[in-house]
Amino acid sequence: MMMNRLILPLMAAALALAGCGNTEDADRGQMPDTPQDAPAAESADAGTPDAAASDAPRVETLTPGNYCYFRDDADVTEALELTVAEDGQMTGDNYGVIHQEDASYYASFTVEMTGGQPGEDGLVAFDTVTEVDGDTQTGEMRWHLSPDQAAPDGLETHLESAACEGLDARVQSAADTK
């Protein structure tokens, strides 16, 4: 039981620490300016961002379509695949590998995200089922989303838009080289 209570905070801490590292992506020049299959977005009132979200992407209403995002830095390689339905409902998968060599910590994770709806603050809240190396937990996660970036609320990190095709292989390939 204690392990279950430690995994999500540990993962959040690892992602937060990873956000302090280099966020430049060597392949960034090959990424499109907007997500694959994603129509243009309309601006929405973002409200007042909290201090941890100061570098988060500007909150925008995403129009129906598929959006994909990617991050590869010294500690984490991850992707977010997001679908916005015609009724505005959002679902997605956030997955990746934590590879903190200095701490000798390695873990793969998947987060199934359902029921996403923008809140009054402009953040999108998802119901989540998280699995980290065989340990499964349920909860909620809030994201700052725009066509160009995605950032989990409260963490100083973000993912950049990426081509959806082959994204899972790209995550695995980048993690394998660490």
Side-chain angles (χ1 to χ4, degrees):
M1 271 308 184
M2 184 61 135
M3 182 68 164
N4 287 345
R5 292 182 181 168
L6 293 175
I7 293 297
L8 279 179
L10 180 60
M11 188 171 105
L15 291 173
L17 286 173
C20 296
N22 178 10
T23 58
E24 291 299 315
D25 181 358
D27 294 46
R28 184 178 166 127
Q30 297 176 0
M31 289 185 203
D33 289 335
T34 57
Q36 181 177 328
D37 302 321
E42 301 171 16
S43 294
D45 180 15
T48 306
D50 38 348
S54 62
D55 290 332
R58 193 179 92 213
V59 176
E60 298 180 31
T61 302
L62 299 178
T63 57
N66 296 317
Y67 298 82
C68 293
Y69 307 89
F70 179 77
R71 170 171 82 117
D72 181 25
D73 62 32
D75 295 318
V76 177
T77 303
E78 71 176 306
L80 171 64
E81 297 183 24
L82 185 68
T83 300
V84 180
E86 290 293 327
D87 65 0
Q89 189 76 216
M90 297 181 204
T91 59
D93 293 298
N94 176 222
Y95 55 91
V97 178
I98 301 167
H99 41 77
Q100 294 180 332
E101 187 173 325
D102 292 344
S104 297
Y105 179 74
Y106 303 90
S108 60
F109 65 91
T110 60
V111 182
E112 180 183 343
M113 303 168 16
T114 58
Q117 286 287 350
E120 290 181 18
D121 58 1
L123 296 175
V124 179
F126 292 93
D127 294 321
T128 61
V129 177
T130 303
E131 184 174 318
V132 179
D133 285 343
D135 181 47
T136 303
Q137 297 182 16
T138 59
E140 182 179 279
M141 191 172 206
R142 295 164 30 102
W143 285 77
H144 299 265
L145 297 170
S146 78
D148 298 324
Q149 294 183 345
D153 188 43
L155 298 180
E156 294 181 21
T157 187
H158 65 274
L159 292 80
E160 299 288 335
S161 67
C164 293
E165 186 175 330
L167 192 56
D168 54 350
R170 186 173 176 197
V171 167
Q172 190 59 48
S173 174
D176 287 344
T177 62
K178 303 292 180 190

